[in-house]
Amino acid sequence: MFDLFKQEFGFESYDSACCPVMEFNISDSGTQPNGRRRKKSIVWEHFTVKTDGPGSAKAYCKGCNKSFAYLKDSKQSGTSHLKRHISLGICQKNQQTPCSKTDAKPLKKRAREKPCFAAISFDQERCNNKIAKMIILHDYPLHIVEHKGFIDFVRALQPQFNPLSFNAVQGDCVAMYLREKQNLLNLIDGIPGQVNLTLDLWTSNQTSAYVFLRGHFIDGDWNLHHPILNVLMVPFPDSDGSLYQTVVNCLSDWHLKGRLFTLALDRYFSNETLMENLRSLLSVKNPVILNGQLLSQNCYARVLSRLALDALSAMRGTIDKVRESVKYVKSSESNEKKFFELRQQLQIRSMKDFLIDDQNKWDTVYHMLVAACELKEVFACFDASDPDYRMALTMDDWHQVETLCKYLKFLYDAANILTVQPYPTANLFFPEASKLKVELTHAAFSQDPFCSCLIMPLLKKFDQYWRESCFILAVAVAMDPRYKMKLVESTFAEIFGENADQWIRIVVDGLHDLFNEYTIIQVLPFTATYDDVENEAMTKTESFQDEEGSLDESLFTVDDGLSDIEFYISDFTCNQQFKSELDEYLEEPLEPIVQEFNILSWWRMNGYRYPTLSRLASDILSMPTSTLPPDSVFDTEIRRMDSYRSSLDSLTLEALICTKDWFQYKSLPINVSNALVKVEY
């Protein structure tokens, strides 16, 4: 730790070659009696070594000529006993009277030479940047730099350090943010595809909310990025269109106008007017493509959390009994010891940690219930060994808890994909969501009245999510070369039965519509924007229709080439003797299903075969289905901005949150130099 701070605050290593340090080995363990190696210990100024036979030698005091063990059978005796002989003053110097103890001086080590450090200049600016980075990464309050304890600590490491003020470190943090923002903007400007956007909502103690806008995209090397782009305060609830304007400003700030592929938010702060306004921002102009689901108000994680909360609420009384039972066992060491001894007597093994839940995280409630169910026999017998325990559950209670846990596990597995692999590619969600749909359907129509009553309300709510989201999830899994349309076809057959074909056709048609959109964009000159192309296409189409419906050859020889492209697209998609990239991809054999399959690597390697389809795949695979970060997936409530952060000005708050996110998830290399823009306050 000390070495780390020496590096952070200006203590650099020095070159020992330019300034050698003399070392002395008191034990002299490598010295041989023949004296070939130089003896370094200071005791050899008072002793000499003489051979006393094969493999044997003794050390003789130069003062009294007394002999001491030194080497026998190639084993050395060291020099400690020789030092004691000199230090105690019992030898006769030059064979004269022995020294008195009072005159004797302790034998001291030969003084080390002090290392000469190379001249190193202290860099205050570098230290300031390191402190700003520390505050950003670890959420320290900005005024930590004015705390006496912090100042004393840093000055103990580097006396030349000049303490910072609140305003100074605030400026350093914002400057670091502006530098990294420019790096990120350069990256976004250079990506070949489009950007997906999610909106997450935090509340505060005031009548305002904080909106986190996060971008999701794949760069030219097929690396997935998901940085927070903006953190902005809006009224809550939104009544004056502030949220829409926030999104518009974000698109302008990050050069994303006409480059927004999908946009996802949650029902907490969406309404019909807002959704209609946001739909106009999408770069794909046809609002009915994929059933309008390029604009989604279904957060995958929050949908699952609501289902879990509904199930837990339906059994609140029984769950409270379990929670109080666990609390009683964990309340004292004696109770825990009794419980453990009873578990050993009953020979019951438990694989789960026995912990009290955090009611703000529904997965901890699930884990507590599972662990308690494994020990239900112990709880059933615990009241007999402890008369103070009066919260025993009946076997019927335990049966209900086990049923609840069975279906909470499906929800947990479906949500856990967001934590095991933060911000996973979109192809992974269709298998989990469809599996959950099938399991809930079976349970809702179960012969067990309790199970049916518990799950039926969950199925009705999940059906709404499934209807609105299954097509976009199906399109995403079709971009997985291990499944393509095969998994969609088999799943839809199980879920929709005899009506499966029409739903499959919707997915296939949606894929072809999107591919045709990308084909147009791919072959158009890069200097033309999509809006310009669309307007010119409408104008020329009207002119074409005005001329008696006949083919005007001049339409195919215009300078800008636009009508050539229209003709090309029409011929490309309608002529059956040619197959599109999409058709070829879907008809080729599936890739083998292996655990370590990397879909982004596959598309990077096969992009030359599907130049247009690969661009579409990159945008589809980066589509987010959840608006929440990994640490909020199991939250039962909307996150709240604390009072300290709410007190910061908007630029500083955005700088602290965004820069930490960029550093934490390594969307960009962490490269902080001294050439930062200074912001004065």
Side-chain angles (χ1 to χ4, degrees):
M1 179 63 74
F2 185 71
D3 292 339
L4 176 63
F5 273 90
K6 287 195 298 182
Q7 295 175 12
E8 297 290 337
F9 291 96
F11 289 105
E12 302 291 348
S13 59
Y14 62 92
D15 188 352
S16 59
C18 71
C19 185
V21 178
M22 297 182 65
E23 297 183 355
F24 297 90
N25 186 356
I26 297 298
S27 65
D28 194 27
S29 59
T31 304
Q32 300 296 329
N34 57 17
R36 291 181 180 176
R37 292 182 56 186
R38 177 178 174 269
K39 301 179 180 63
K40 298 179 181 179
S41 176
I42 198 171
V43 300
W44 299 116
E45 295 180 2
H46 304 274
F47 287 87
T48 184
V49 177
K50 296 181 181 180
T51 302
D52 194 35
S56 177
K58 290 185 177 181
Y60 290 86
C61 178
K62 295 179 181 179
C64 63
N65 204 33
K66 185 176 180 179
S67 63
F68 296 86
Y70 177 67
L71 181 68
K72 186 174 183 180
D73 297 330
S74 300
K75 294 183 179 180
Q76 291 184 351
S77 300
T79 59
S80 298
H81 61 305
L82 306 181
K83 290 192 291 183
R84 284 195 298 270
H85 175 72
I86 299 300
S87 299
L88 293 175
I90 59 176
C91 69
Q92 296 178 356
K93 188 176 181 180
N94 297 325
Q95 297 183 352
Q96 295 179 0
T97 57
C99 301
S100 65
K101 288 188 178 182
T102 56
D103 295 333
K105 295 182 179 179
L107 188 66
K108 297 181 179 179
K109 294 181 182 180
R110 188 173 296 159
R112 288 180 179 268
E113 293 185 10
K114 294 182 179 180
C116 56
F117 289 92
I120 301 175
S121 59
F122 170 63
D123 191 341
Q124 177 76 39
E125 186 69 16
R126 180 171 178 268
C127 292
N128 295 349
N129 291 333
K130 293 296 184 180
I131 289 175
K133 181 179 173 182
M134 175 189 73
I135 288 173
I136 290 171
L137 286 175
H138 303 291
D139 295 325
Y140 296 139
L142 291 169
H143 49 264
I144 190 177
V145 296
E146 297 178 343
H147 292 176
K148 183 178 184 302
F150 178 80
I151 295 172
D152 291 345
F153 172 65
V154 176
R155 277 186 165 168
L157 298 175
Q158 176 52 267
Q160 298 181 53
F161 178 77
N162 186 29
L164 299 172
S165 66
F166 176 92
N167 289 340
V169 74
Q170 185 181 39
D172 290 337
C173 290
V174 172
M176 188 173 294
Y177 159 71
L178 295 176
R179 166 63 183 273
E180 293 304 318
K181 180 178 180 179
Q182 185 60 52
N183 289 343
L184 179 57
L185 185 59
N186 293 340
L187 175 65
I188 292 176
D189 285 343
I191 64 173
Q194 303 186 82
V195 173
N196 303 280
L197 196 64
T198 58
L199 278 68
D200 184 27
L201 181 72
W202 286 31
T203 60
S204 67
N205 294 329
Q206 292 79 32
T207 58
S208 58
Y210 292 86
V211 178
F212 288 60
L213 293 95
R214 187 182 293 272
H216 305 258
F217 58 89
I218 291 175
D219 64 24
D221 294 324
W222 286 87
N223 298 310
L224 181 62
H225 300 263
H226 37 75
I228 295 177
L229 301 180
N230 292 102
V231 179
L232 300 169
M233 185 174 67
V234 297
F236 184 74
D238 183 23
S239 58
D240 58 358
S242 297
L243 185 57
Y244 170 74
Q245 191 58 46
T246 295
V247 177
V248 171
N249 293 340
C250 173
L251 297 181
S252 175
D253 191 25
W254 291 94
H255 306 171
L256 296 179
K257 288 186 176 180
R259 301 180 62 196
L260 184 61
F261 183 57
T262 66
L263 195 154
L265 62 161
D266 191 68
R267 294 185 186 277
Y268 277 123
F269 58 113
S270 62
N271 55 61
E272 289 301 323
T273 302
L274 173 64
M275 298 298 286
E276 187 62 31
N277 290 337
L278 292 177
R279 195 182 305 278
S280 65
L281 301 177
L282 298 177
S283 56
V284 176
K285 301 303 178 181
N286 187 350
V288 300
I289 287 181
L290 302 184
N291 203 27
Q293 291 169 82
L294 294 180
L295 176 61
S296 170
Q297 54 181 339
N298 285 307
C299 172
Y300 178 80
R302 283 207 168 107
V303 167
L304 298 179
S305 293
R306 289 168 189 147
L307 297 181
L309 285 177
D310 287 347
L312 294 172
S313 297
M315 291 184 59
R316 182 182 293 109
T318 304
I319 294 173
D320 287 343
K321 288 183 181 180
V322 176
R323 182 179 295 113
E324 292 304 317
S325 296
V326 174
K327 284 183 179 180
Y328 181 81
V329 173
K330 304 289 289 186
S331 63
S332 69
E333 291 184 6
S334 60
N335 289 348
E336 202 163 1
K337 182 179 179 182
K338 289 178 186 178
F339 192 85
F340 179 76
E341 290 173 350
L342 184 58
R343 192 185 78 176
Q344 286 186 318
Q345 293 174 13
L346 297 174
Q347 297 182 348
I348 296 175
R349 295 183 178 180
S350 176
M351 303 301 294
K352 301 292 183 182
D353 293 333
F354 195 47
L355 299 173
I356 302 173
D357 64 311
D358 175 2
Q359 297 184 50
N360 293 321
K361 297 278 189 180
W362 69 263
D363 62 317
T364 65
V365 185
Y366 162 68
H367 289 310
M368 180 191 70
L369 295 176
V370 171
C373 283
E374 291 184 352
L375 301 170
K376 61 183 179 181
E377 289 87 356
V378 184
F379 279 110
C381 300
F382 190 53
D383 57 346
S385 60
D386 190 335
D388 294 328
Y389 175 69
R390 300 186 180 90
M391 292 159 285
L393 284 78
T394 66
M395 293 310 295
D396 187 52
D397 289 337
W398 285 116
H399 172 71
Q400 293 180 3
V401 172
E402 288 176 333
T403 301
L404 172 64
C405 288
K406 176 181 178 181
Y407 293 99
L408 282 179
K409 185 180 188 306
F410 292 125
L411 297 175
Y412 175 78
D413 290 343
N416 200 43
I417 189 175
L418 291 166
T419 60
V420 173
Q421 184 180 350
Y423 302 104
T425 49
N427 60 299
L428 300 179
F429 290 92
F430 181 83
E432 294 295 334
S434 60
K435 177 183 176 182
L436 182 58
K437 162 67 176 174
V438 171
E439 293 295 344
L440 291 178
T441 302
H442 290 165
F445 296 97
S446 169
Q447 297 300 316
D448 181 351
F450 171 77
C451 179
S452 178
C453 183
L454 177 68
I455 303 302
M456 182 61 77
L458 307 187
L459 176 62
K460 291 180 179 179
K461 289 189 175 182
F462 188 75
D463 274 347
Q464 181 180 359
Y465 171 78
W466 176 257
R467 287 193 303 270
E468 296 176 357
S469 304
C470 70
F471 300 122
I472 196 71
L473 299 181
V475 166
V477 80
M479 293 294 99
D480 190 328
R482 298 170 297 173
Y483 303 114
K484 300 184 180 179
M485 284 298 298
K486 300 303 181 184
L487 181 61
V488 175
E489 292 167 359
S490 62
T491 301
F492 279 12
E494 182 177 7
I495 293 176
F496 297 114
E498 61 183 13
N499 296 322
D501 287 345
Q502 69 185 58
W503 302 114
I504 294 171
R505 175 50 52 190
I506 291 175
V507 176
V508 173
D509 289 346
L511 272 173
H512 280 87
D513 286 344
L514 279 175
F515 178 76
N516 291 339
E517 292 275 355
Y518 274 69
T519 303
I520 295 173
I521 296 173
Q522 190 84 335
V523 299
L524 287 175
F526 290 106
T527 56
T529 66
Y530 192 88
D531 289 330
D532 295 336
V533 170
E534 189 179 52
N535 293 335
E536 289 190 41
M538 291 297 297
T539 301
K540 293 184 179 296
T541 301
E542 293 171 357
S543 299
F544 172 75
Q545 293 174 343
D546 290 341
E547 297 182 10
E548 300 180 356
S550 61
L551 286 175
D552 186 346
E553 292 184 1
S554 64
L555 291 176
F556 302 98
T557 57
V558 291
D559 293 337
D560 59 12
L562 179 61
S563 296
D564 289 316
I565 292 168
E566 289 181 323
F567 176 76
Y568 167 77
I569 295 300
S570 175
D571 182 67
F572 185 79
T573 55
C574 297
N575 195 331
Q576 296 299 317
Q577 65 178 337
F578 294 106
K579 289 184 179 180
S580 69
E581 292 177 23
L582 176 61
D583 292 329
E584 291 182 358
Y585 164 78
L586 293 177
E587 292 175 7
E588 287 187 351
L590 303 180
E591 292 291 323
I593 298 178
V594 293
Q595 186 175 4
E596 300 300 325
F597 181 77
N598 188 322
I599 189 171
L600 298 183
S601 294
W602 189 92
W603 277 104
R604 181 175 63 246
M605 295 173 60
N606 290 273
Y608 72 96
R609 298 170 56 199
Y610 311 110
T612 302
L613 184 61
S614 63
R615 281 194 58 182
L616 173 60
S618 70
D619 293 340
I620 289 177
L621 292 175
S622 61
M623 286 190 308
T625 62
S626 174
T627 64
L628 299 181
D631 60 347
S632 301
V633 169
F634 297 103
D635 285 358
T636 58
E637 296 180 353
I638 301 179
R639 297 190 71 170
R640 183 178 295 273
M641 190 72 70
D642 59 58
S643 299
Y644 165 69
R645 286 191 170 186
S646 298
S647 67
L648 298 173
D649 67 82
S650 58
L651 178 59
T652 303
L653 177 65
E654 187 172 62
L656 295 175
I657 294 177
C658 290
T659 313
K660 178 185 177 180
D661 179 78
W662 302 339
F663 286 167
Q664 183 176 359
Y665 292 104
K666 299 180 180 178
S667 294
L668 294 173
I670 300 178
N671 181 21
V672 181
S673 70
N674 294 329
L676 296 176
V677 180
K678 296 296 291 183
V679 179
E680 300 297 337
Y681 284 83

